[in-house]
């Protein structure tokens, strides 16, 4: 319960119309794309860094929990206000990006969606590669806080490879700037890198300086169907082992393909789908596509189809981006995991997931950024079915152990949030977790910034 004097101060900072306390509004900010929920006491919608700073300063003085929020598309419960208090929504911080073409960077407010930024820079002949499948809704602030990946990780890396600098409000309400607008900067500790992927637990990002690239002249899509996911995942290792670096290489198993077909009402074709994209000059695209074709035909006897006949590459990527909404129509609860292994271990990981599914009688659809070794095995279940949920829980724990066994990570791009908290020690160990908790305590001495996430401090 927030004190009336506290609320008055917050209203005085952002205006009463930007402090939402009615139940309907609080419910709208109580969840993300997982099934976790927790009601905030109030939702605040600042417009400027100064307002964010004053909100956080007041919250620090009164020890009120603060949870930063972008669009709420997160897949680990990160923006769910686990301990109540304030949700600070960045939805009004959406000014057009400042684009510096000669210096190849842009300065962006955190509430701008990824797709909007991409369109803004592309209209100037520039390119912002990170491309989460949720790009039409998710925000740059949320992308930085989660270190979002997406469909182009294989060639272009993830959000962390593009953040040159940040402006942020610390848990005590101070405004600091990290990094620089230059290609190089080694002045002091790399606070920027620490903040990327910190899931809103170390401060609120109020401005992001992002590195840009020249827009590639051409793109070409290719796709190939397989009878089973094992062969498709072997093909991924073969393609990459050959020296080919597609900008994207995505896998969708047969359950996923059928779900997307039903969702879009379009035929994609039977079997497991491997969908790739190459980019660069037209000559490079042609050469790379021929190379992929040769490998896939020679070793697997599979015909590779490409977009030469004038198929819009976006139509195929739309199918890939529709996977999650499509799967949610198959069962009341979809638990989407994010295991990532070294690419050469992909076939073994897929095999282990198959065995785990059989052992616990769970339905799992597999899709993901295969070129990054990043799979999203999605448990199709019903949270009301207690017996099944128990089996799903055991199966997930086993899958996490399998992934660590293979030298992988429990989360490639969705973060820890609430969802992966039980497994974080498995990867980081006791001492590794303790170091991170010390960092957290030193920056957030009262523990007000997105509490109840990443590490269990209770
Ligand atoms: C259909 C679908 C497809 C997806 N595909 C991908 C994908 O391909 N790749 C991928 O990586 N992810 C994907 N995601 C997950 C999600 O979209 C990303 O994690 C995204 O970065 C979250 O952005 P958001 O604005 O929705 O953040 P939110 O969900 O609102 O918040 C996410 C986290 O960031 C923190 N945060 C938000 N804004 C700020 C800020 N300004 N300062 C500090 N902390 C902040 C929050 O506290 C929270 O911990 C997908 C999700 C969906 C629903």
């Amino acid at each position: 319960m927030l004190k009336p004097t506290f609320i008055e101060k917050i209203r005085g900072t952002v205006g009463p119309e930007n402090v939402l306390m009615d139940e309907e509004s609080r419910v709208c900010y109580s969840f993300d794309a997982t099934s976790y929920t927790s009601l905030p006491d109030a939702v605040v919608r600042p417009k400027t860094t100064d307002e964010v700073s004053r909100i956080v300063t007041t919250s620090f003085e009164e020890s009120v929990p603060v949870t930063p929020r972008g669009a709420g598309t997160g897949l680990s419960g990160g923006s769910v206000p686990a301990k109540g208090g304030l949700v600070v929504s960045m939805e009004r911080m959406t000014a057009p990006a400042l684009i510096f073409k000669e210096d190849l960077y842009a300065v962006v407010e955190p509430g701008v969606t990824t797709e909007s930024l991409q369109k803004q820079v592309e209209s100037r002949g520039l390119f912002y590669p990170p491309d989460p499948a949720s790009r039409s809704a998710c925000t740059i602030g949320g992308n930085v806080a989660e270190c979002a990946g997406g469909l182009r990780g294989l060639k272009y890396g993830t959000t962390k490879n593009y953040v040159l600098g940040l402006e942020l409000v610390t848990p005590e309400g101070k405004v600091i700037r990290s990094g620089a607008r230059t290609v190089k900067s080694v002045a002091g500790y790399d606070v920027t890198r620490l903040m990327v992927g910190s899931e809103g637990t170390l401060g609120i990002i109020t401005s992001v300086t992002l590195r840009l690239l020249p827009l590639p002249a051409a793109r070409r899509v290719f796709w190939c169907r397989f009878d089973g996911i094992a062969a498709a995942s072997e093909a991924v290792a073969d393609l990459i082992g050959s020296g080919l670096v597609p900008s994207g290489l995505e896998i969708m198993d047969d359950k996923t393909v059928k779900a997307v077909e039903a969702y879009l009402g379009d035929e994609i074709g039977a079997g497991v789908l491997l969908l790739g994209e190459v980019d660069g000059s037209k000559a490079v695209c042609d050469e790379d596509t021929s190379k992929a074709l040769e490998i896939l035909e020679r070793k697997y006897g599979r015909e590779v189809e490409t977009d030469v006949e004038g198929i819009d590459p976006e139509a195929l990527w739309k199918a890939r981006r529709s996977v999650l909404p499509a799967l949610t129509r198959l069962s009341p609860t979809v638990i989407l995991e994010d295991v990532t292994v070294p690419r050469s271990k992909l076939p073994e990981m897929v095999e282990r997931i198959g065995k785990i599914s059989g052992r616990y009688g769970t339905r799992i659809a597999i899709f993901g950024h295969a070129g990054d070794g990043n799979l999203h095995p999605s448990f199709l279940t019903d949270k009301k079915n207690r017996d099944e949920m128990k089996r799903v829980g055991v199966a997930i724990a086993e899958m996490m152990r399998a992934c660590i066994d293979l030298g992988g990570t429990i989360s490639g791009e969705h973060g820890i949030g609430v969802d992966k908290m039980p497994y974080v020690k498995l990867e980081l160990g006791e001492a590794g977790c303790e170091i991170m908790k010390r960092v957290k305590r030193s920056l957030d001495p009262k523990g007000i910034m997105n509490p109840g996430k990443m590490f269990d401090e209770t």
Side-chain angles (χ1 to χ4, degrees), residues 33 75 260 320-329 334 336 367 378:
L75 285 166
V260 171
R320 168 58 187 87
R321 289 195 174 96
S322 305
V323 167
L324 189 51
L327 289 178
T328 57
R329 294 169 107 197
V334 176
L336 189 148
F367 69 98
S378 300

Side-chain angles (χ1 to χ4, degrees), residues 114-115 118 127-135 138 143 148-153 157-159 219 277 314 317 321 369:
T114 316
E115 186 173 62
Q118 286 172 338
F127 183 38
Y128 177 65
D131 193 36
S134 50
R135 67 179 188 173
C138 66
N143 289 176
L151 308 183
R152 300 190 187 118
T158 61
T159 304
R219 296 160 64 195
E277 183 174 281
E314 266 319 308
W317 289 115
R321 289 195 174 96
H369 315 296

Side-chain angles (χ1 to χ4, degrees), residues 32-33 67-80 88 90 110-111 114 131-135 137-151 159 198-201 203-206 320-325 336 369 374 376 412-415 417 450 453:
D32 64 357
T67 301
R69 184 180 176 93
T73 67
L75 285 166
S76 56
S79 60
V80 175
V88 179
M90 310 314 286
T114 316
D131 193 36
S134 50
R135 67 179 188 173
C138 66
T139 65
I140 290 298
N143 289 176
V144 174
E146 294 289 6
C147 189
L151 308 183
T159 304
S198 63
E199 302 186 21
T201 63
I204 302 187
I205 296 156
T206 48
R320 168 58 187 87
R321 289 195 174 96
S322 305
V323 167
L324 189 51
L336 189 148
H369 315 296
N374 184 189
H376 296 317
E413 57 180 18
H414 296 161
N450 207 355
K453 307 291 163 63

Side-chain angles (χ1 to χ4, degrees), residues 1-12 14-29 39-45 64 84-87:
M1 197 61 170
L2 302 173
K3 287 192 212 151
T5 47
F6 173 83
I7 287 297
E8 273 324 299
K9 273 194 197 165
I10 301 292
R11 284 195 176 121
V14 290
E17 68 284 12
N18 290 309
V19 182
L20 312 176
M21 295 193 70
D22 59 294
E23 190 165 354
E24 287 84 347
S25 303
R26 290 189 297 131
V27 167
C28 291
Y29 294 82
L39 271 182
D41 293 301
V43 178
V44 195
R45 303 183 300 184
V64 172
L86 292 186
V87 159

Side-chain angles (χ1 to χ4, degrees), residues 101-115:
K101 192 166 179 175
E102 294 73 21
D103 290 318
L104 289 175
Y105 72 82
V107 180
V108 190
E109 287 203 344
V112 171
T113 66
T114 316
E115 186 173 62

